[in-house]
């Protein structure tokens, strides 16, 4: 199998961390591709009509896309336990919260990178940051108990989301008022899988 990636993407990083945590790295080749909202790589388009990363090219069926689809597939493929049935709805909600942080933070990045300066909207950027900020506060206030215990996909998603905020929006200082979450993230970021996939 091949995983089409751009290393800075938090959605890609989720999958790359999973590959290392489940021992699948030797079975899935990571292939870097250059794509943007304005220009899509031809090989990526051929595999995924939406032309988004990550995309998983399989030998047994059509390519898979959307990071949550890919992580569920690879978790089952590896017979791993990153989506424990006993807590499945909580894990999925936690992962969705992490993905929402990623989506809003990436949108902020795209506004600055791909729109002409005169067309950029400060109101739009602040609205996206408000989403990020509320979701981070929710992680700190509601989800800390789910961020401890055996490794699950919600934890991986949250760590990758927070690391992306650090990468692109560190001036926003998300740690202010979120001390417990900040301590958790610092510890989780030391995992070999996180160190190996840092952008």
């Amino acid at each position: 199998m091949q995983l089409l990636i751009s290393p800075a993407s938090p959605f890609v990083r989720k999958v790359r961390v999973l590959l290392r945590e489940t021992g699948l790295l030797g079975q899935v080749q990571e292939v870097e591709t250059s794509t943007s909202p304005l220009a899509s790589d031809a090989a990526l388009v051929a595999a995924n009509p939406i032309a988004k990363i990550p995309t998983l090219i399989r030998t047994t069926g059509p390519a898979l896309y959307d990071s949550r689809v890919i992580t569920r597939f690879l978790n089952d493929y590896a017979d791993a336990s990153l989506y424990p049935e006993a807590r499945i709805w909580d894990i999925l909600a936690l992962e969705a919260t992490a993905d929402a942080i990623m989506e809003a933070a990436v949108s902020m990045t795209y506004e600055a990178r791909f729109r002409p300066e005169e067309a950029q909207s400060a109101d739009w950027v602040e609205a996206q940051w408000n989403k990020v900020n509320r979701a981070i506060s929710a992680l700190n206030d509601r989800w800390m108990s789910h961020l401890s215990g055996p490794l699950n996909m919600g934890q991986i998603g949250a760590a990758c989301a927070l690391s992306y905020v650090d990468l692109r929006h560190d001036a926003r200082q998300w740690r202010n008022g979120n001390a417990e979450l900040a301590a958790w993230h610092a510890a989780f970021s030391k995992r070999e899988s996180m160190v190996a996939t840092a952008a």
Side-chain angles (χ1 to χ4, degrees), residues 46-74:
N48 174 356
I50 303 169
K52 287 189 174 182
I53 50 173
T55 292
L56 181 69
I57 299 176
R58 303 179 294 165
T59 57
T60 57
L64 299 179
Y65 39 91
D66 188 282
S67 63
R68 278 181 275 184
V69 173
I70 295 171
T71 55
R72 286 297 294 269
F73 171 80
L74 291 174

Side-chain angles (χ1 to χ4, degrees), residues 48-121:
N48 174 356
I50 303 169
K52 287 189 174 182
I53 50 173
T55 292
L56 181 69
I57 299 176
R58 303 179 294 165
T59 57
T60 57
L64 299 179
Y65 39 91
D66 188 282
S67 63
R68 278 181 275 184
V69 173
I70 295 171
T71 55
R72 286 297 294 269
F73 171 80
L74 291 174
N75 179 75
D76 288 356
Y77 185 86
D79 195 24
S81 56
L82 297 176
Y83 290 98
E85 282 299 323
R87 303 170 70 194
I88 190 61
W89 299 114
D90 290 340
I91 300 305
L92 290 175
L94 178 55
E95 186 180 10
T97 302
D99 278 8
I101 293 171
M102 296 178 195
E103 288 165 5
V106 168
S107 180
M108 292 170 66
T109 301
Y110 283 179
E111 183 75 3
R113 284 192 170 185
F114 297 108
R115 288 175 67 85
E117 187 174 354
E118 65 275 10
Q120 293 174 21
S121 169

Side-chain angles (χ1 to χ4, degrees), residues 128-144:
Q128 299 312 302
W129 177 252
N130 287 338
K131 294 177 186 179
V132 172
N133 194 42
R134 290 194 302 267
I136 289 176
S137 294
L139 291 180
N140 188 76
D141 298 340
R142 304 178 200 169
W143 290 102
M144 288 308 305

Side-chain angles (χ1 to χ4, degrees), residues 142-155:
R142 304 178 200 169
W143 290 102
M144 288 308 305
S145 63
H146 292 75
L147 293 175
S148 60
L151 182 67
N152 63 62
M153 204 59 221
Q155 295 170 3

Side-chain angles (χ1 to χ4, degrees), residues 24-41:
L24 286 179
L25 191 56
Q27 299 180 54
V28 180
Q29 178 189 9
E30 296 177 339
V31 179
E32 288 195 37
T33 183
S34 178
T35 191
S36 80
L38 303 180
S40 300
D41 179 81

